[in-house]
Amino acid sequence: VNLYRAKTTPMKHILLPLVLLLVCNVSANTGRYRLMFNTDPSTEITVGWEQVSSANPVVYYGTVDQGTNWASYTNSQAPTRQVTYQGMDNRFALITGLTPNTIYYFVIKDDAGTSARYWFKTCPSVNTETLSFISGGDSRSGTTQRQNSNRMVAKIRPHAVLFGGDLQNTPSDAAMQEWLDDWQLTITSDGQMIPLVHSFGNHEEYGNGGPNLIRDLFDTNYDVYYNLRFGGDLFSMYTLN
């Protein structure tokens, strides 16, 4: 706030009006982000998020970090799927044609603004590169344990988290929203997101579960039964229903 006042003259006082300058950073109405390897982890990735409000979201991405300047990114992808599930408007953008073993930066822009800048790394496509994974499940056991585990994901920065199911005891709307809120703790301080590979556990059968829960929150195929190959022919990973 700057208040400018004119000098006093013998004839009169002249006051200039108060000038208030506001600088606003407007963010996209998006949240509960997640990345998934559901096809080829070397050349494809699915960006998932909750569209809280607003419209026309688009993922802008590229190999050069442009910060939140969405117009400077060389590539874009509109959502390839949308589904309302577990009390959320879930959007998924399948990005294809990526280069193996490469860092990509991205933002999500909608009519309200632009998200923070995040990044991910595709997996190698040759068997001479070292891979690292975190594998586990049963995050239903306790909120504190789940949050601490998620913080460890951010510290270790594996190529992917292979999640063996049983996200919550009973996957109600509130429980799954809480799980996704906790998953944001896996995002590193410099904005890296770690991709998930999801499977279908017995606790996903309860409440509003079934294969829909994994498919409609993480965009897997219909029956949640698939195979991914990492590092060319180095590692073949089967996800069973």
Side-chain angles (χ1 to χ4, degrees):
V1 178
N2 291 311
L3 176 62
Y4 297 89
R5 178 169 295 177
K7 291 183 179 179
T8 302
T9 68
M11 296 181 62
K12 61 183 178 179
H13 292 80
I14 303 173
L15 294 178
L16 296 183
L18 182 70
V19 178
L20 181 64
L21 299 178
L22 297 177
V23 178
C24 300
N25 294 318
V26 181
S27 298
N29 283 324
T30 56
R32 292 174 175 148
Y33 305 108
R34 57 270 202 194
L35 299 181
M36 285 72 65
F37 284 144
N38 290 329
T39 48
D40 180 358
S42 297
T43 63
E44 298 182 358
I45 200 166
T46 300
V47 181
W49 69 93
E50 179 189 6
Q51 190 67 37
V52 180
S53 61
S54 192
N56 301 314
V58 175
V59 179
Y60 291 89
Y61 66 98
T63 56
V64 177
D65 186 359
Q66 305 290 354
T68 57
N69 185 7
W70 62 272
S72 296
Y73 285 97
T74 55
N75 305 285
S76 64
Q77 178 61 62
T80 50
R81 184 168 174 246
Q82 182 273 331
V83 58
T84 300
Y85 188 69
Q86 300 283 176
M88 296 174 286
D89 179 1
N90 299 285
R91 307 293 178 100
F92 303 102
L94 173 60
I95 299 176
T96 63
L98 301 175
T99 302
N101 206 23
T102 300
I103 290 175
Y104 284 87
Y105 303 91
F106 73 96
V107 296
I108 302 173
K109 180 191 176 299
D110 60 18
D111 288 349
T114 307
S115 72
R117 188 274 289 143
Y118 301 105
W119 63 277
F120 62 85
K121 188 175 183 180
T122 54
C123 288
S125 60
V126 295
N127 62 14
T128 54
E129 296 286 336
T130 300
L131 299 176
S132 65
F133 300 95
I134 292 176
S135 179
D138 272 320
S139 57
R140 63 189 179 85
S141 300
T143 300
T144 300
Q145 294 91 331
R146 180 170 64 244
Q147 291 176 349
N148 288 338
S149 296
N150 289 348
R151 291 186 180 97
M152 286 302 298
V153 171
K155 290 181 180 181
I156 295 173
R157 300 185 187 231
H159 284 88
V161 172
L162 313 180
F163 200 89
D166 293 348
L167 292 88
Q168 293 278 37
N169 275 315
T170 302
S172 64
D173 290 2
M176 291 315 306
Q177 291 170 23
E178 177 189 65
W179 193 95
L180 288 169
D181 287 338
D182 289 343
W183 182 250
Q184 306 311 295
L185 296 172
T186 65
I187 301 174
T188 66
S189 59
D190 60 350
Q192 183 183 8
M193 287 192 191
I194 309 300
L196 281 156
V197 178
H198 258 290
S199 60
F200 177 47
N202 65 296
H203 278 265
E204 274 71 79
E205 287 280 11
Y206 306 149
N208 296 323
N212 286 349
L213 188 141
I214 302 302
R215 182 175 66 248
D216 291 345
L217 290 184
F218 305 105
D219 202 39
T220 64
N221 63 12
Y222 180 79
D223 54 6
V224 198
Y225 179 84
Y226 56 103
N227 166 248
L228 298 180
R229 297 181 66 182
F230 291 88
D233 60 359
L234 179 62
F235 176 46
S236 189
M237 196 281 301
Y238 288 87
T239 292
L240 307 180
N241 182 335

